[in-house]
Amino acid sequence: EPEVTQTPSHQVTQMGQEVILRCVPISNHLYFYWYRQILGQKVEFLVSFYNNEISEKSEIFDDQFSVERPDGSNFTLKIRSTKLEDSAMYFCASSEGGQYYEQYFGPGTRLTVT
Amino acid sequence: KQEVTQIPAALSVPEGENLVLNCSFTDSAIYNLQWFRQDPGKGLTSLLLIQSSQREQTSGRLNASLDKSSGRSTLYIAASQPGDSATYLCAVPSGAGSYQLTFGKGTKLSVIP
């Protein structure tokens, strides 16, 4: 069964460094998302992406964050200058269509900022 | 702003028991509702998507119901097994026309052999 994959599974970085989290969505899906979950807290939406542009973003997704679909298969989240509070599990998701469709999540990347 | 509440926060049941998990949401202008399972330190596995036009959706031992007007959904698990132990999350779109999902904090289920 097709699934969303994410790399790396765990990333440790120092405060102020740039990180890129990578995702390969399900191949025929058109909508892509990033969410994050700080330990012990709710899953929070960051951004949605369709037709090579951001369709929606949350207050969390400030200028330090960016997303890109550099080729036909990858979807990336870049954090320009990491802060301690960026430590979280980051989930990529994809869906075949928009609001009516099921979102499928990847296994997550655990980001630890020291 | 959409808010999702799940009750109870934790539940412990003996194997074989039937159980109900509850989810409530504040903005009923939703297209659908999704139930997920999350194992410790792992990703989210989609269990059921129930459209706003449906009242129920079934998958194996799982049955989800949706009462959009009252802002409630339930997830019924029949004949629980130790392998059902996980956190169950409910998520709804944040508002009309929104792609983003708003999640509840989840119900942590433990099924005791």
Side-chain angles (χ1 to χ4, degrees):
Chain A
E1 186 174 323
E3 57 184 20
V4 177
T5 59
Q6 291 185 242
T7 54
S9 57
H10 190 188
Q11 174 127 21
V12 181
T13 189
Q14 289 191 326
M15 198 166 50
Q17 295 297 303
E18 175 183 287
V19 294
I20 297 176
L21 310 183
R22 301 179 194 281
C23 167
V24 179
I26 294 172
S27 63
N28 64 332
H29 285 189
L30 301 176
Y31 291 77
F32 314 113
Y33 314 85
W34 284 100
Y35 292 81
R36 78 174 186 189
Q37 185 177 33
I38 295 170
L39 191 63
Q41 297 189 23
K42 293 184 180 185
V43 176
E44 302 172 288
F45 169 81
L46 294 177
V47 65
S48 61
F49 191 85
Y50 168 71
N51 201 25
N52 280 321
E53 58 182 33
I54 290 173
S55 48
E56 206 170 355
K57 62 182 181 179
S58 71
E59 293 170 353
I60 302 168
F61 194 88
D62 61 22
D63 293 344
Q64 291 300 309
F65 292 88
S66 63
V67 289
E68 193 178 34
R69 188 152 162 83
D71 53 43
S73 58
N74 290 283
F75 180 51
T76 61
L77 174 70
K78 182 193 288 187
I79 308 175
R80 260 179 271 283
S81 177
T82 50
K83 306 180 186 116
L84 294 176
E85 54 266 35
D86 293 328
S87 294
M89 183 76 100
Y90 287 80
F91 295 110
C92 174
S94 69
S95 64
E96 197 174 343
Q99 299 98 328
Y100 294 99
Y101 290 80
E102 197 164 353
Q103 292 187 22
Y104 293 88
F105 281 67
T109 292
R110 179 166 298 286
L111 177 65
T112 303
V113 183
T114 61
Chain B
K1 180 187 167 186
Q2 180 76 273
E3 292 190 5
V4 178
T5 303
Q6 291 187 248
I7 294 173
L11 181 63
S12 184
V13 300
E15 182 177 359
E17 197 159 289
N18 303 326
L19 59 102
V20 174
L21 308 181
N22 297 291
C23 171
S24 62
F25 46 93
T26 53
D27 183 351
S28 60
I30 60 167
Y31 295 103
N32 51 46
L33 180 145
Q34 235 176 305
W35 282 95
F36 293 88
R37 169 187 172 134
Q38 184 174 32
D39 292 285
K42 303 286 188 184
L44 307 177
T45 301
S46 180
L47 297 172
L48 288 164
L49 173 78
I50 181 165
Q51 301 290 356
S52 59
S53 57
Q54 299 175 300
R55 293 192 66 84
E56 284 190 6
Q57 184 71 267
T58 298
S59 176
R61 294 183 293 109
L62 305 180
N63 177 278
S65 69
L66 175 63
D67 185 343
K68 192 178 151 182
S69 60
S70 69
R72 293 176 191 274
S73 175
T74 60
L75 180 67
Y76 174 84
I77 302 177
S80 58
Q81 301 170 359
D84 295 331
S85 298
T87 297
Y88 290 81
L89 303 175
C90 154
V92 292
S94 297
S98 175
Y99 301 103
Q100 64 175 280
L101 295 179
T102 298
F103 283 79
K105 207 164 179 190
T107 294
K108 185 174 181 180
L109 173 66
S110 299
V111 181
I112 313 301

